[in-house]
């Protein structure tokens, strides 16, 4: 019987083959150990030889995984020589994720996660929402960190799916009578203004810091009942737009309307490395977003 040398013990007996992890899977597992406190700040990592043996891979795959974590500021001293060290401050603080993590108001949960996403060399953020208010606010802190020299991304890609100006919104909408388009005009002005601010602030990094920035918008033919934020391929943040009956003064008019406060919507966080449940949600959310982007959405121009 032929025995693969890679799966033979020193005694000559065969040993069971193990799943060969990819460098991204190794990075996910080690990241989880750092985030959960299994590997503590300042602690030396196992040697690359030990990690290669644990995951059943060549040392090159381990080094690739360690470099990913170093780029996220979770490790220091990654080299072919001595073991790396868990960073003293393992990346920007973020709320917990996973099945046991409680939901948080959007602006509480979104901002630190977006800031952490900006620690990567290539920042990728996709969002589906009614306006970009929450995202524009959340990006403010990492922009300040970039200008202060504490964050140095090389590339930023941001894509937003927003409702088309040409549809009748499901909300905000008047409770009883026709308002003559007042609420629609107000929403459209907010959508355009926030989108322009977001794009302008990010594109400014091209000239001030030489960052490769791309900001794209697409229009949806419906009012989204939920909001979704995707941070690369690793995180999905999800919230419901919960409607309520409200009274507001708009353009000197007293208006009763159905609306949702998106900045206070409870945000549920899912991370790909937090278990099968979270991994499946992140993957399906990514597929859903890409399908909308590539099929029924259309060009969106941020003009009145």
């Amino acid at each position: 019987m032929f025995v693969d040398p890679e799966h033979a013990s020193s005694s000559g007996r065969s040993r069971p083959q193990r799943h060969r992890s990819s460098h991204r899977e190794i990075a996910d597992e080690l990241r989880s150990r750092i985030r959960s406190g299994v590997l503590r700040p300042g602690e030396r990592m196992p040697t690359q030889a030990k990690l290669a043996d644990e995951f059943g891979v060549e040392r090159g795959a381990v080094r690739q995984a360690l470099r990913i974590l170093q780029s996220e500021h979770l490790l220091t001293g990654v080299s072919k020589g001595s073991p790396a060290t868990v960073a003293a401050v393992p990346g920007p603080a973020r709320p917990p994720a996973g099945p046991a993590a409680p939901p948080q108001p959007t602006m509480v949960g979104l901002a630190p996660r977006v800031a952490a996403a900006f620690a990567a060399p290539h920042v990728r953020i996709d969002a589906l929402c009614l306006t970009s208010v929450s995202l524009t606010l959340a990006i403010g802190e990492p922009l300040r960190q970039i200008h202060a020299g504490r964050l140095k991304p090389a590339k930023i890609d941001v894509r937003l799916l927003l409702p088309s100006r040409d549809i009748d919104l499901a909300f905000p909408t008047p409770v009883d009578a026709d308002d003559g388009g007042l609420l629609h005009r107000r929403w459209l002005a907010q959508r355009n203004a926030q989108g322009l601010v977001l794009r302008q602030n990010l594109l400014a990094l091209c000239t001030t810091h030489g960052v490769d920035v791309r900001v794209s918008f697409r229009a949806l033919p419906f009012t989204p009942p939920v909001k979704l934020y995707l941070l690369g391929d690793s995180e999905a943040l999800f919230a419901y737009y919960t409607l309520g009956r409200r009274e507001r003064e708009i353009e000197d008019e007293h208006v009763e309307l159905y609306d949702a406060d998106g900045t206070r919507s409870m945000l549920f966080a899912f991370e790909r490395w937090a278990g099968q449940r979270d991994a499946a949600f992140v993957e399906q959310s990514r597929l859903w977003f890409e399908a909308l982007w590539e099929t029924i959405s259309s060009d969106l121009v941020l003009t009145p």
Side-chain angles (χ1 to χ4, degrees), residues 185-248:
R185 291 194 301 273
R186 176 177 176 271
W187 162 79
L188 183 61
Q190 185 180 53
R191 186 204 73 171
N192 291 343
Q194 291 294 327
L196 288 169
V197 168
L198 177 67
R199 184 170 65 186
Q200 178 180 334
N201 288 345
L202 288 171
L203 289 178
L205 298 175
C206 296
T207 54
T208 60
H209 292 76
V211 182
D212 181 5
V213 177
R214 297 179 186 178
V215 184
S216 306
F217 297 86
R218 298 281 290 175
L220 292 169
F222 61 88
T223 309
V226 299
K227 56 166 59 178
L228 176 70
Y229 304 96
L230 299 172
L231 308 182
D233 292 319
S234 60
E235 294 185 68
L237 310 173
F238 173 90
Y240 295 100
Y241 282 117
T242 303
L243 298 184
R245 184 166 177 161
R246 310 174 191 279
E247 296 184 7
R248 297 217 175 132

Side-chain angles (χ1 to χ4, degrees), residues 149-192:
R150 289 188 283 270
L151 290 175
K152 299 180 180 180
K155 187 175 182 180
I156 299 172
D157 284 308
V158 175
R159 298 187 299 175
L160 286 96
L161 283 170
L162 301 168
S164 168
R165 61 171 295 164
D166 300 323
I167 65 172
D168 292 327
L169 291 173
F171 64 92
T173 187
V175 171
D176 295 317
D178 181 9
D179 66 350
L182 175 64
L183 291 178
H184 191 278
R185 291 194 301 273
R186 176 177 176 271
W187 162 79
L188 183 61
Q190 185 180 53
R191 186 204 73 171
N192 291 343

Side-chain angles (χ1 to χ4, degrees), residues 6-300:
E6 189 173 341
H7 301 286
S9 66
S10 58
S11 64
R13 297 177 181 176
S14 64
R15 60 189 182 192
Q17 296 188 15
R18 295 180 294 178
H19 167 68
R20 295 179 65 85
S21 302
S22 71
H23 68 280
R24 295 193 180 278
E25 290 174 324
I26 298 169
D28 288 346
E29 172 59 27
L30 296 179
R31 186 190 295 108
S32 177
R33 294 178 190 179
I34 294 171
R35 295 291 189 200
S36 64
V38 174
L39 294 169
R40 299 181 178 277
E43 183 178 342
R44 303 276 277 196
M45 295 286 291
T47 64
Q48 293 181 17
K50 287 183 178 180
L51 290 172
D53 183 64
E54 176 185 350
F55 292 101
V57 297
E58 299 294 332
R59 293 191 192 183
V62 171
R63 279 196 293 274
Q64 284 182 282
L66 297 179
R67 290 192 187 107
I68 290 175
L69 299 182
Q70 181 171 252
S71 73
E72 297 173 1
H73 306 287
L74 294 174
L75 294 179
T76 60
V78 174
S79 67
K80 291 185 179 181
S82 58
T85 302
V86 180
V89 181
R94 70 175 73 193
Q104 296 178 302
T106 293
M107 286 317 301
V108 176
L110 181 62
R113 291 180 180 279
V114 168
F118 269 78
H122 183 187
V123 182
R124 291 172 51 226
I125 298 176
D126 294 320
L128 179 150
C129 43
L130 189 65
T131 69
S132 58
V133 172
S134 296
L135 184 59
T136 301
L137 292 172
I139 283 179
E141 179 57 27
L143 289 179
R144 287 188 285 272
Q145 295 290 331
I146 291 172
H147 289 298
R150 289 188 283 270
L151 290 175
K152 299 180 180 180
K155 187 175 182 180
I156 299 172
D157 284 308
V158 175
R159 298 187 299 175
L160 286 96
L161 283 170
L162 301 168
S164 168
R165 61 171 295 164
D166 300 323
I167 65 172
D168 292 327
L169 291 173
F171 64 92
T173 187
V175 171
D176 295 317
D178 181 9
D179 66 350
L182 175 64
L183 291 178
H184 191 278
R185 291 194 301 273
R186 176 177 176 271
W187 162 79
L188 183 61
Q190 185 180 53
R191 186 204 73 171
N192 291 343
Q194 291 294 327
L196 288 169
V197 168
L198 177 67
R199 184 170 65 186
Q200 178 180 334
N201 288 345
L202 288 171
L203 289 178
L205 298 175
C206 296
T207 54
T208 60
H209 292 76
V211 182
D212 181 5
V213 177
R214 297 179 186 178
V215 184
S216 306
F217 297 86
R218 298 281 290 175
L220 292 169
F222 61 88
T223 309
V226 299
K227 56 166 59 178
L228 176 70
Y229 304 96
L230 299 172
L231 308 182
D233 292 319
S234 60
E235 294 185 68
L237 310 173
F238 173 90
Y240 295 100
Y241 282 117
T242 303
L243 298 184
R245 184 166 177 161
R246 310 174 191 279
E247 296 184 7
R248 297 217 175 132
E249 195 79 22
I250 302 174
E251 296 182 10
D252 298 324
E253 290 189 35
H254 179 77
V255 180
E256 281 193 292
L257 67 152
Y258 293 118
D259 200 5
D261 187 343
T263 61
R264 297 184 183 181
S265 298
M266 299 305 289
L267 195 69
F268 294 81
F270 298 83
E271 293 183 336
R272 186 163 59 89
W273 51 84
Q276 289 186 342
R277 164 190 171 274
D278 280 45
F281 187 89
V282 172
E283 179 183 7
Q284 291 302 311
S285 296
R286 166 61 61 193
L287 292 173
W288 186 59
F289 183 94
E290 295 295 346
L292 290 174
W293 188 271
E294 296 295 339
T295 58
I296 61 173
S297 64
S298 57
D299 292 338
L300 188 154

